[in-house]
Amino acid sequence: MKRYLSLLIALCSLFSLQGQLLNGTLDVNGMPSFIQSFQDTVQEAGIDDNNIGFESAIDANQISFVLNPILILSSSTLCSDNVFRYRVFMHTQNAPQNLTVKAKTYTNSGFRFPSFSVYDILIIKPLGSRDLTATNGGNYITIPNDASQAIKVCEFVGCRTDIPIQFKIEASSLVQAGVSNFNIIPLSQAYFN
């Protein structure tokens, strides 16, 4: 009986290790920088900037998420053996009042990491295939200037690299003139379902 009990405890500790979320890194490459002249925003009395705005290139900004290597296990091994659903949220920080920042990505954009995983050959995939789903059907979504209201831009199953994020900035004649620096902050969360 004692032998079975110790075997049961060993098996339970093994399963509890597999159930833990591992540390990962959300890496961001590139950031938009824009300049808009006063003539663009003020066209006529009562008419604001309706059509002219800044839009980044499709692949000028990219994010990647991989699990951090531990001991002798590489990121690709960990990402292959531990498949979770990740959601990417964004918000701005210190953006000027009346400035609208929008973001979008495309369905299945970026690359699976690693390109092949044991998860891919499972007959029943509990989280679905290792794909990326864009929020709002791939159309622009307004990013709030409040960390407590960060909005989901996309979600994906398994690790993923080089996900292009396109930004659109709509200025206004109501935005205070001058140079302003603000941050666009991406956050990731892992989910089991």
Side-chain angles (χ1 to χ4, degrees):
M1 180 69 171
K2 199 176 209 181
R3 191 165 125 192
Y4 291 120
L5 186 58
S6 62
L7 180 61
L8 181 65
I9 291 172
L11 285 174
C12 287
S13 65
L14 178 65
F15 288 122
S16 68
L17 286 175
Q18 288 295 321
Q20 292 178 357
L21 286 176
L22 302 173
N23 287 330
T25 301
L26 185 67
D27 185 35
V28 179
N29 290 316
M31 265 297 150
S33 176
F34 80 103
I35 297 173
Q36 190 165 35
S37 73
F38 188 69
Q39 286 80 16
D40 288 343
T41 56
V42 180
Q43 298 170 1
E44 189 178 312
I47 298 178
D48 205 353
D49 177 15
N50 294 325
N51 300 316
I52 302 171
F54 169 80
E55 190 169 26
S56 68
I58 293 171
D59 59 352
N61 315 285
Q62 296 180 343
I63 60 173
S64 300
F65 183 86
V66 297
L67 295 174
N68 299 336
I70 54 173
L71 300 175
I72 58 170
L73 298 175
S74 66
S75 287
S76 59
T77 301
L78 290 172
C79 285
S80 180
D81 294 344
N82 300 277
V83 177
F84 301 108
R85 178 182 307 278
Y86 298 99
R87 294 179 180 158
V88 177
F89 294 82
M90 290 186 184
H91 69 88
T92 58
Q93 183 180 45
N94 300 325
Q97 220 174 8
N98 299 312
L99 183 76
T100 303
V101 180
K102 297 180 177 184
K104 73 175 177 178
T105 189
Y106 305 95
T107 299
N108 252 347
S109 59
F111 302 99
R112 295 174 178 176
F113 181 81
S115 57
F116 173 78
S117 170
V118 175
Y119 181 84
D120 296 333
I121 59 173
L122 294 175
I123 295 170
I124 297 175
K125 297 174 179 65
L127 299 175
S129 61
R130 290 193 309 144
D131 292 333
L132 180 138
T133 305
T135 301
N136 199 20
N139 295 315
Y140 279 111
I141 188 163
T142 302
I143 301 174
N145 193 29
D146 183 355
S148 67
Q149 297 177 3
I151 196 159
K152 183 175 77 168
V153 175
C154 65
E155 68 177 43
F156 50 91
V157 174
C159 298
R160 203 159 188 94
T161 59
D162 299 332
I163 303 166
I165 304 291
Q166 190 170 13
F167 292 101
K168 185 173 187 178
I169 299 172
E170 296 174 355
S172 166
S173 57
L174 300 176
V175 176
Q176 188 174 3
V179 176
S180 61
N181 294 315
F182 61 94
N183 298 317
I184 299 171
I185 301 172
L187 311 160
S188 67
Q189 291 182 331
Y191 292 82
F192 288 104
N193 57 6

